């Protein structure tokens, strides 16, 4: 009986989690920002260090705008997490949430692999 109840609890919790993540995926299709949204401020020390290699937040904004064929003002940063060697960025591009990463001074989509050369 214990095994049956344990298995039942695991199955029910898995199903509940699957339904929850499916609902979350549907709500993340577009950015819904308030009119008075303030972008997060990057660390000034890191930005001044990255300025030497053209890898600042504003350089990323230009990169995203060119890649998505939109204006720079349509790129809104939602979350910034960076160090000197790497960084992760969540952005809203023309109402669509996207994630980018920086490795050294190179920007790319968060799901891209720079070492995958066989396409």
């Amino acid at each position: 009986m214990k095994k049956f109840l344990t298995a039942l609890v695991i199955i029910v919790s898995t199903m509940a989690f699957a339904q929850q993540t499916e609902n979350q995926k549907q709500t993340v299709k577009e950015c819904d920002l308030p009119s008075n949204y303030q972008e997060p401020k990057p660390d000034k020390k890191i930005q001044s260090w990255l300025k030497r290699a053209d890898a600042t937040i504003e350089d990323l904004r230009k990169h995203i705008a060119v890649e998505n064929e939109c204006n720079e003002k349509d790129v809104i940063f939602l979350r910034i997490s960076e160090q000197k060697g790497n960084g992760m960025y969540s952005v809203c591009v023309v109402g669509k949430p996207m994630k980018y990463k920086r490795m050294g001074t190179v920007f790319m989509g968060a799901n891209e692999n720079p070492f995958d050369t066989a396409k």
Side-chain angles (χ1 to χ4, degrees):
M1 187 69 174
K2 274 186 170 179
K3 290 181 182 179
F4 174 73
L5 289 175
T6 304
L8 184 65
V9 167
I10 291 172
I11 291 170
V12 170
S13 63
T14 304
M15 289 173 56
F17 178 73
Q19 290 176 353
Q20 181 183 14
T21 56
E22 187 64 34
N23 291 339
Q24 288 174 350
K25 288 179 184 176
Q26 291 175 355
T27 59
V28 180
K29 289 186 178 176
E30 61 181 57
C31 301
D32 188 24
L33 300 174
S35 59
N36 60 350
Y37 177 76
Q38 296 281 328
E39 286 187 339
K41 302 289 184 204
D43 187 348
K44 290 181 181 181
K45 290 181 181 180
I46 294 174
Q47 289 296 303
S48 65
W49 190 83
L50 291 172
K51 189 174 184 179
R52 300 175 192 166
D54 292 330
T56 63
I57 293 294
E58 292 308 314
D59 295 317
L60 175 59
R61 188 184 308 269
K62 292 175 190 174
H63 175 83
I64 294 171
V66 169
E67 191 173 272
N68 292 289
E69 298 176 355
C70 65
N71 293 328
E72 290 180 32
K73 65 180 179 177
D74 295 330
V75 178
I76 301 169
F77 286 94
L78 304 175
R79 191 166 173 212
I80 299 170
S81 173
E82 62 182 2
Q83 293 110 25
K84 289 182 179 179
N86 58 24
M88 290 294 295
Y89 310 92
S90 295
V91 295
C92 183
V93 183
V94 193
K96 181 179 167 189
M98 302 178 92
K99 291 186 179 183
Y100 281 84
K101 63 183 173 183
R102 177 180 51 81
M103 293 175 60
T105 60
V106 179
F107 297 114
M108 65 194 83
N111 58 353
E112 293 179 24
N113 183 0
F115 304 110
D116 186 18
T117 57
K119 285 189 178 183

